[in-house]
Amino acid sequence: MMKTIYIILSIMFIIGFNACQEEKRFEISGDDNKAPGPPEYLSYKPLVGAARIFYNLPEDKDILSINAEYVNNSGKKSYFSASYFTDSLDVMGIADTLEHVVQLYAVDRAGNRSISVPVTVKASESALQNVAESIKVLAGFNSFIVLWDNVLEQTVNVYIDMIFNKAGKDRDLTWVLTSNKAINREIIDNVVLSDDESLTVNIRIGDTYGNWSQNIKMGQIKIMSDAILPKELWRLPNTNDSIAGIPMCFGNAYEAKSLNVIDGIISRGEIISIMHTAGRGRTGKAIDGNTPWNFLIDLGDYYELSRIVTNQRHDLNTNTYDPNERGYYYTGENVNQYNMYFLNEETSEWEFISQHTIEIPTGLSELEIARLGAAGDMALMYPEVPAFTKPARWFRYEALTGFGAAPWVLSEITLYGRKANMQ
């Protein structure tokens, strides 16, 4: 028993002694004006847009950190620091693969700085060049799409310089996109140009360290024009009527109606304008609620389709619902994923267009989500490379999943495109 107590007391003494020694290490002395010794440089490892420097700490007991300074090609000085617990330090923001000199030094608890040790390093690859080489621009509908990869997931600023002629006058605008995502796809919207008006795009990329890429000339972009298709001529088949072997869904459950999906009225707040399948989607008979259902539209004429906007149910069956609250958006029985088809009348078969999943917004307030839901979710018919479909009169919307529940409700479908030339 006494031996056990002795061992415990010994351990406590050792811990206490070491704690006291460690506390002394962190004491800041105003009288200390002696510079610590410099770190001993060992080696470095090239990284993408960076270099990792390895070193031995100086023997000084009051060392706080190992620091490095680096002046980039733009003349901006950047500072980097690593605690005395580590044996390496990363120098970021190297914009090329040339040799650069980094000043490595130690700092003690009193703020004294050692002499600098010059270290010559190279990056394995330029981070900006990596982003620049992946940049692509695709023509969209009254818009264009900018795509790029960012393997380091460091924050970059993409400056898009747009030069165009509008109504006989040359104009230029700059759009700035900021992201640290690995894969990026951004749409520059509301670019409305006529067929004889051109758009030239140049891109510059900058990082948070003051580095810039060269000006990347993307050339002329041919913006495609589309418009909202008129719904006055749209017609719906009766429930269970089949078009090319696909039956029209049942959407008239409760007080809802299938016709509400094409009436131009968005479900919001006290306005309830939805279809509701009540789990009877495919044939009108009770079925598994997860079974896909198809909403078929006769467009009344032949069109080349470009994009779609769908609107979800917002209300929660209450007359006092605030339209500025999130409500039912992006939850429950609203459609989350769907397929799109058009009827190829030459083959009498439904031709698959694409599949779309509605993303659940994150990091937004209730009001922002309410506004986003009210605006609707837009999707391109061909998202990878925007294009018009072949001329079609029949459109098929196949609901696949809901937001954690069966996809039973939908408020509105709006289609964009252009009148097909059938000559």
Side-chain angles (χ1 to χ4, degrees), residues 244-316:
I246 300 297
M248 175 67 175
C249 69
F250 171 80
N252 302 328
Y254 309 114
E255 296 181 1
K257 295 180 180 179
S258 294
L259 284 172
N260 289 340
V261 176
I262 63 171
D263 64 359
I265 301 174
I266 306 302
S267 174
R268 192 175 188 200
E270 298 178 6
I271 301 173
I272 302 176
S273 179
I274 62 172
M275 64 167 283
H276 198 306
T277 68
R280 299 167 13 175
R282 176 168 291 180
T283 64
K285 298 179 180 180
I287 58 170
D288 179 357
N290 291 313
T291 301
W293 47 264
N294 290 275
F295 193 91
L296 311 178
I297 305 175
D298 175 1
L299 302 176
D301 207 334
Y302 290 88
Y303 295 92
E304 297 172 347
L305 307 177
S306 58
R307 45 185 172 149
I308 183 175
V309 172
T310 56
N311 291 89
Q312 306 170 42
R313 172 186 179 180
H314 174 253
D315 66 278
L316 289 175

Side-chain angles (χ1 to χ4, degrees), residues 137-145 162 164 188 190-201 220-226 388 418:
V137 175
L138 301 177
F141 301 100
N142 298 331
S143 65
F144 62 92
I145 302 170
M162 298 174 282
F164 57 96
I188 310 301
N190 297 319
V191 183
V192 181
L193 298 174
S194 61
D195 292 339
D196 59 344
E197 294 172 334
S198 62
L199 171 70
T200 300
V201 175
Q220 286 196 345
I221 308 299
K222 183 65 175 178
I223 301 298
M224 296 177 285
S225 298
D226 65 355
F388 290 98
R418 65 187 180 189

Side-chain angles (χ1 to χ4, degrees), residues 45-65:
K45 178 182 179 180
L47 304 174
V48 178
R52 179 166 297 160
I53 300 173
F54 297 91
Y55 49 79
N56 284 330
L57 293 171
E59 295 183 356
D60 302 67
K61 295 181 179 180
D62 61 345
I63 289 298
L64 174 65
S65 64

